[in-house]
Every structure is written in C-alpha cells, then in structure tokens.
Amino acid sequence: MPLSLPAYPPRARSLTGVLTDALAALGGASEFLPPARSAIVFVIDGLGAANLAGRRGHARFLSSLSSRSAVARTVFPSTTAAALTSLLTGTDPGQHGIVGYRVRVPGTATAPNQLRGWETDGLDPLTWQRSTPILEREKELGRPTFVVTRSEYRGTGFTAATMRGADIFGVDDLGDRVETAARVAAEHPGALVYLYAPDLDSVGHRHGWESDQWSSALERVDAAAARFSAALDPADGALITADHGMVDVPAHRRLLFGEDSPLWDGVAVVGGEPRMLHLYAEPGRAADVHAAWAAAESSRAWVLTRAEAVGAGLFGRVDAEVTERMGDVLVAARAAVAYYDDREPDKASQRMVGQHGSLTVEERIVPLLRLGAFA
C-alpha cells in the first residue's frame, strides 16, 4: 500500500538544492535565480512557513517577502542535523548518512547525538558524514567561502563535518552577525556565504512557537533580517530559509513509555527524536516491533519499516552503507504528540514544547525568500 503523505506545495524546492542553486547563480547558470556577484544563504533555524504565516504581524519584513510559492521542502527527518547537512553538502540524508538526531552506529548499541556527539561519542567528522561539504569543495577550487555564525560553533565536530574549508566568523549578536555576512560578501566578489541564526529555535523548544516569548524572538529576528537587507549590496544575492518548522506539543500529549511498556519488547536501541523515532530491533524481531507499534500508534503516527521508508524515497537516494544507520522501524508522529523513552535518566527533553522531526507540512515546509540580486 503506497505511503499517504501530506500534500506538500507542488512548487516547493528541496532544501538540499538551495545552496547549490545559489552557487550556480554566481556563474549565471541557475534556472531558479538571477545572476549575482556574491551569494548568501541565511538560515533561520526553526522558522517554518506555517509558523511565519501564523505570526506575520510579528514579522512584517519577512512577511513582505513571502508568498505561497516562496517555500522550500526540507528533508526527512525534519531535524537540524539532517537538514543542514543536506543543505551544506547538496546531498540527501541517505547519501551523507546523518539520518536523524540520534543515529545508531551499525554493529553497536550506541546512538550518538548527530549535533553534539562528535566530541563525546568519538564520531569522526571527516568520515561519519560521507559527503564533501560544498564550502570545502569550492574553497579548493579557489572560491572565497565563509560561515558567519555564533562563536560557540566555530570548533565543533558538526561544523567540521559540514562547513570545513570555509573561513569562519564567530559573531554572537545577531544584528552584528547579519551585517558581517553582508560586508564579507561585498568585500569578496564571487563569495559563497552561509549565515546561521539559531536564536528562534531555542526559544521555540523551550516555550513553543505559539508563546509570547517566541513572538518576541521572531520580532528580533525580523528586525535583524531588515538590517541584513539594508546592509546587502544590490549586486549580491541572498536567500533566507530554514532547516525545519515547528509544532507545539502540550504536556498531556508527550507520551511516556516506561519499563513496563510492551512496545519496548524486541527493541534493542532507541534513536531519532520524540517526533521521529528510529527503533533498532533485536535480531529477528523487526517484524514484531513493527506490528506492535503499528497496532498501537498508527492512528496518530506513520509507522514504517525501514524498507517502506527507503522505498518511498523519504531519505532521498540511499547508499548501501547508510541503510544500517536507519531504524528497523520508524515512528513519525502525525498528530500533535511526541514519544519518549521514559527509561532514560535524562528527562530534559520531556519539557520541550516546540518540536519537529516528522513529515507534517508544518515541520517540512519552510520559507525561501529572496533579497538583493536574487529578488
């Protein structure tokens, strides 16, 4: 039976190709964008198209650039590690191998965090992430490439895995960060610049996107985007997008499964995140795990075997080496619920309000807005 997915906007471009499109525009070879002297891709972490539309009064500048067709479709899972890696390599999760928030190392019982586990779990950023970063490749070809981000991200394993080769500017104030990106692009003709703002996402996780705190954070981001537009040289082009959207999951819909839950029968390792679980089965138990979760949760989640997910193209093109990183069973929330392994001692994630990772329109459709020479 074919997988029934949400109706995504038919003209939504894949986030995987956004940086590639910007690069092509520098040589006048993009079918999507006009030519530009330098190009900037500005990622506002956690800003879904539905979130922006729902709070347009708090983002008058960004809303003035948006339209129903000014959108992109992020990857699956709709999570930062997978999405930013696809953006920065131009390849699908099934190729680069970052197939979720927590992913099992094949042949082990560990599922490291794909954003922060590089240092703590010994992931090699030069080999675990399997695709060549675009910024590294272009730098080796002689193009000036830059990353403008928070200073805390400069030396991380994820940065090495996805942005190595670029010159990195660590700027903590968002307003100063956007002006730095515009200045660097103007000073280095032909430059490819990646600009990152995680500010909104962290507020959303803590308070939810429907909160007053999120609206206030969106106002600050919107002001920074307007400041960015004013600083941008007209000869340079910029795209503003996001890695994923967000849904709010109230406390009573955060589903906790403890030691006595029969749904853990046959499950050796739990990966992914609360709205998109990777369930790694004990040998010979994958069919049992799928049957149990489908019977219990198919009314409010897509419950898929690994083969079904790969066959439906959810991970894009899949290389053989990546297959074993995926769960034997995937549980992707369809309703406003989140799934928690309550056997875990760390309960911090159970307090998250804003969440993402699944297949819904709210999580997968993000803005794709144009500025400067790209407008």
Side-chain angles (χ1 to χ4, degrees):
M1 185 177 195
L3 176 63
S4 178
L5 294 176
Y8 303 123
R11 294 185 181 180
R13 299 187 66 77
S14 170
L15 186 71
T16 301
V18 167
L19 196 67
T20 303
D21 276 330
L23 176 62
L26 298 180
S30 172
E31 298 179 4
F32 172 60
L33 298 169
R37 180 183 62 183
S38 292
I40 304 170
V41 174
F42 181 10
V43 171
I44 301 173
D45 197 317
L47 181 62
N51 306 133
L52 178 59
R55 292 293 182 268
R56 63 174 63 89
H58 295 273
R60 296 185 183 278
F61 176 75
L62 290 170
S63 295
S64 73
L65 305 174
S66 65
S67 67
R68 294 184 65 182
S69 61
V71 293
R73 185 186 69 256
T74 194
V75 301
F76 175 78
S78 51
T79 195
T80 297
L84 293 187
T85 305
S86 287
L87 172 74
L88 291 161
T89 65
T91 60
D92 296 322
Q95 296 170 274
H96 59 64
I98 310 301
V99 293
Y101 180 66
R102 292 178 60 226
V103 174
R104 188 178 70 170
V105 178
T108 77
T110 63
N113 184 312
Q114 303 293 283
L115 285 174
R116 303 176 187 89
W118 307 86
E119 293 80 15
T120 58
D121 294 292
L123 296 179
D124 185 346
L126 303 183
T127 58
W128 179 253
Q129 194 287 99
R130 302 175 65 257
S131 299
T132 302
I134 292 171
L135 297 171
E136 179 187 39
R137 182 192 71 206
E138 290 301 309
K139 187 63 173 284
E140 291 177 350
L141 293 173
R143 183 180 303 283
T145 62
F146 302 94
V147 171
V148 187
T149 187
R150 279 185 179 170
S151 57
E152 66 187 280
Y153 301 138
R154 292 185 65 173
T156 68
F158 184 74
T159 295
T162 58
M163 298 166 241
R164 60 181 179 264
D167 293 326
I168 299 178
F169 290 83
V171 183
D172 291 330
D173 179 79
L174 180 56
D176 293 341
R177 201 180 314 150
V178 300
E179 289 194 344
T180 298
R183 174 179 56 78
V184 167
E187 291 176 352
H188 299 273
L192 183 62
V193 182
Y194 170 66
L195 169 62
Y196 179 61
D199 314 65
L200 196 61
D201 183 67
S202 58
V203 175
H205 281 308
R206 190 176 306 115
H207 301 288
W209 80 268
E210 296 186 272
S211 67
D212 292 341
Q213 293 92 330
W214 194 88
S215 295
S216 295
L218 179 61
E219 290 172 1
R220 294 191 293 272
V221 168
D222 190 64
R227 185 170 168 180
F228 174 56
S229 178
L232 187 67
D233 190 292
D236 299 329
L239 295 173
I240 300 176
T241 190
D243 52 347
H244 57 75
M246 190 168 282
V247 298
D248 283 359
V249 181
H252 69 280
R253 306 208 72 180
R254 297 170 212 160
L255 309 176
L256 312 181
F257 298 90
E259 290 282 0
D260 59 347
S261 174
L263 290 178
W264 296 138
D265 290 348
V267 176
V269 178
V270 180
E273 59 194 290
R275 281 190 59 79
M276 211 309 285
L277 299 178
H278 282 282
L279 301 178
Y280 302 91
E282 296 170 356
R285 298 295 306 278
D288 296 336
V289 172
H290 177 259
W293 279 84
E297 294 299 322
S298 59
S299 65
R300 52 189 176 185
W302 292 275
V303 181
L304 309 167
T305 65
R306 176 194 295 161
E308 287 172 333
V310 171
L314 296 186
F315 294 97
R317 199 185 90 192
V318 177
D319 293 345
E321 185 179 322
V322 176
T323 304
E324 292 300 312
R325 298 187 187 185
M326 302 171 187
D328 296 286
V329 177
L330 311 178
V331 181
R334 183 165 49 218
V337 298
Y339 297 96
Y340 288 93
D341 182 354
D342 202 33
R343 301 169 299 177
E344 290 287 335
D346 185 355
K347 310 295 185 185
S349 67
Q350 295 182 13
R351 296 190 291 271
M352 287 197 309
V353 181
Q355 301 199 33
H356 53 85
S358 192
L359 288 161
T360 69
V361 169
E362 291 78 9
E363 290 158 282
R364 290 198 72 189
I365 302 302
V366 298
L368 185 58
L369 313 177
R370 305 186 190 196
L371 287 174
F374 289 162

